[in-house]
Amino acid sequence: MADRRGILSLFVRHATLANLVLAVMVVAGLYAAPRLRAQFFPDTVIQQIQVSVRWDGAGADDVDRSVVAVLEPALMGVEGVALTSSQASQGSARITLEFEPGWDMSRAVGEVETAVAGAGNLPDGAETPEVSRRAWRDQVADVVIAGPVGLDQLGRIADDLTNRLYARGVTRLSVAGMAAPETLVELGMADMVRHDVTLDQIAQVIAAASAPIPAGDVASGTSRVRTGGQARSPAEIGALVLRAQPDGSLLTLSDVARISDTGIDRGVAYFSGTDPALVISVQRSASGDAIGLQREVEEAVAQMTPSLPQGVTAELVRTRAEQISARLALLLDNAILGLALVVGLLFLFLNARTAIWVAAGIPAALLAAVALMYAAGMTLNMISLFALILTLGIIVDDAIVVGEHADFRARKLGEPPKVAAERAAARMASPVIASTLTTIIAFGGLVLIGGRFGTMVADIPLTVILVLAASLVECFLILPNHMAHALAHRARDAWYDRPSIVVNRMLDRFVARVLRPLTRLVLVARYPVLALLMVAFSWASVQLMTGAVPWRFFDAPEQGSVTGNVAMLEGADRADTLRVMGLVQDAVAGVAARYQDEYGINPVTHVLAQVGGNAGRPLPGAETKDADLLGAIQIELIDPDFRPYSSFEFVSALQEAMPADPRLETVSFRGGRSGPGGDA
């Protein structure tokens, strides 16, 4: 009889205890699974501080020698800085400091400001350096509001939508495509001298008229009183009185200055076809759920859509949640297929009862691992799901060894079921735990990878370690008890054991007729076999060194976004840029129609033109150009699974179809691919 002591004996002989642990693992996993945040990749939160200096009129070389060379040495000495990058361009300098993961950024900001103050004197004309901490944000979706109405009306619609989103808890929003209202007051020196007024006097009059001043309250606060007004329009600004003339007339601001409204369509403007558009960017913090946030945005847009004016649309584009859901669904399908294959093989090589209880350990261990991932603050993403699929075949290895040995002891040695299960668990504990620890150590080395890429791939070893730990619990605390009950009701040559009986007979013949003779041959001809092994190893090494097997740091999945940037020649104006962007939109429509005729489906789902700046990574030299000479077009394509060509092929066709214009300098397209290695 077995020694009825120890934790293994306790769980074998107390079914309630083993089933209670199993129930806790399953229930905890089912509770955590819907609460586990889903995203495309793990959060690689970059902690950065940026120091910016403006020096109008200075060239890039002067900025580099007189600003960057002064500030950079002092900033590199700040404690916690892992990486420093500097950029000098015409009229400005930018130094970016990337800090170590987990560094106290509040402390870092103070130390950077101190380093800047003690760095040395900057040249005359350079402005005071600005220190800003860059917040980490991840794009969730863009809402494009477009239609044949005025930009001011689109702005009111955007305000309504942002208020709805704020009410739903979506707070990280930014609206682009409309500038703040601005009234421009232009003064001539001759007019100022003729009327004997100064810039300071005019500024004080405008400031007093545009800023209301509270004057207290009356009747115990039930009524409030304020003085002043809020002059905003050109007519109101022009009617401001500067002083009374000796003849009794009033000198107004319109008598001295030219006053105009610069318009809200200056700066960056968006167009969907010929209609103006606004873009609301929805982002998430490091603790946000991309799928949940997009769901809130979709519901808010659907709720607002019936009240939109005729022809005005609100459309979600560049939705990350759909990409996440599609990739997660693909991986889950592969996981289910892998699980079915594993279970099928178990039934072929083990008897039915052993196969059932070994297979039952797979969902139990995975659910327990999901609960541990939730408790550890991990997320469900491409990396962690890959690790879960990777462990499908690993977690059954231990259970197969214990279950098969228990069956062997009961069938061949004639031991009672509980004794066989207990002794099988005790006999296999040392080798199974040792093999599991070696796997944990092998994967644990990946945790030591530093930097941004290390942060991303850390989910692989962490997930594998959690799954293996859960599988050990299932293998030695739960499985032996179930095996004891299964062995107590075993039957010889049952119909459901026939597949495994047939397969094992065939396996025995294969071992006797093929594997044993081959093994003897290898032992006899060990030196020729070793030579062939060295030849194969050398051939594989040559394939890598010659590039026959290409090396790629990170092969990111293709995304359905294409960005085209446009730069105009000097001497052009904003109207020329608008005209050229119209030609670019026509060219995109022509290429899309050609692809639709060839493949039967229009590859373009959304097109958004932009004037006043570049999109994505700007063109080289764009920072020195007037913003009105820059444009961009953002194209969304159908899912890559629905088209037999890549976005790069589509980009090549677009580049060939771009219009020629005497005022156009450059048109450059980029396919949407990204990864930890940087830009495509």
Side-chain angles (χ1 to χ4, degrees), residues 206-495:
I206 296 175
S210 60
I213 303 174
D217 53 66
V218 296
S220 301
T222 57
S223 300
R224 291 186 175 84
V225 179
R226 71 179 181 183
T227 61
Q230 286 185 305
R232 291 288 189 269
S233 66
E236 293 172 340
I237 296 291
L240 295 179
V241 177
L242 297 177
R243 68 165 181 265
Q245 302 283 55
D247 59 359
S249 61
L250 299 177
L251 179 66
T252 62
L253 189 56
S254 60
D255 297 329
V256 181
R258 293 177 297 278
I259 305 169
S260 60
D261 186 354
T262 58
I264 58 177
D265 58 348
R266 70 184 191 281
V268 178
Y270 294 96
F271 298 90
S272 180
T274 58
D275 297 333
L278 294 179
V279 178
I280 301 178
S281 295
V282 182
Q283 299 163 323
R284 70 174 183 88
S285 64
S287 59
D289 185 353
I291 294 179
L293 285 175
Q294 181 173 320
R295 188 182 305 114
E296 295 293 341
V297 175
E298 290 173 346
E299 292 176 357
V301 170
Q303 184 182 14
M304 188 188 69
T305 298
S307 62
L308 293 177
Q310 184 177 3
V312 176
T313 59
E315 183 179 0
L316 270 73
V317 299
R318 290 179 287 278
T319 51
R320 291 294 298 272
E322 291 182 359
Q323 299 177 28
I324 297 170
S325 300
R327 301 298 180 227
L328 294 182
L330 177 63
L331 288 174
L332 286 174
D333 290 342
N334 292 338
I336 293 173
L337 178 60
L339 179 60
L341 292 174
V342 169
V343 172
L345 288 175
L346 289 177
F347 274 88
L348 289 179
F349 289 94
L350 301 176
N351 67 72
R353 288 187 177 85
T354 303
I356 288 174
W357 289 116
V358 169
I362 298 176
L366 290 179
L367 287 172
V370 168
L372 293 174
M373 291 170 60
Y374 176 72
M378 298 174 63
T379 62
L380 200 64
N381 53 69
M382 294 281 289
I383 305 299
S384 59
L385 263 179
F386 169 75
L388 288 174
I389 296 175
L390 186 67
T391 56
L392 277 178
I394 299 177
I395 57 179
V396 297
D397 292 345
D398 303 340
I400 289 174
V401 171
V402 175
E404 195 277 335
H405 190 61
D407 182 73
F408 165 79
R409 300 187 73 90
R411 286 180 179 271
K412 303 296 184 181
L413 303 182
E415 294 180 348
K418 291 185 178 180
V419 175
E422 181 180 342
R423 288 181 175 175
R427 179 74 178 273
M428 295 299 166
S430 296
V432 166
I433 292 176
S435 64
T436 302
L437 287 178
T438 57
T439 306
I440 289 176
I441 292 172
F443 278 94
L446 295 176
V447 181
L448 302 179
I449 300 177
R452 195 179 311 174
F453 187 76
T455 303
M456 169 171 285
V457 301
D459 275 16
I460 293 180
L462 294 177
T463 303
V464 170
I465 290 171
L466 293 178
V467 173
L468 291 179
S471 71
L472 282 180
V473 173
E474 198 281 334
C475 178
F476 290 106
L477 300 185
I478 300 171
L479 177 63
N481 181 275
H482 293 156
M483 284 300 303
H485 286 280
L487 295 174
H489 299 86
R490 67 182 183 273
R492 296 187 179 276
D493 298 332
W495 62 268

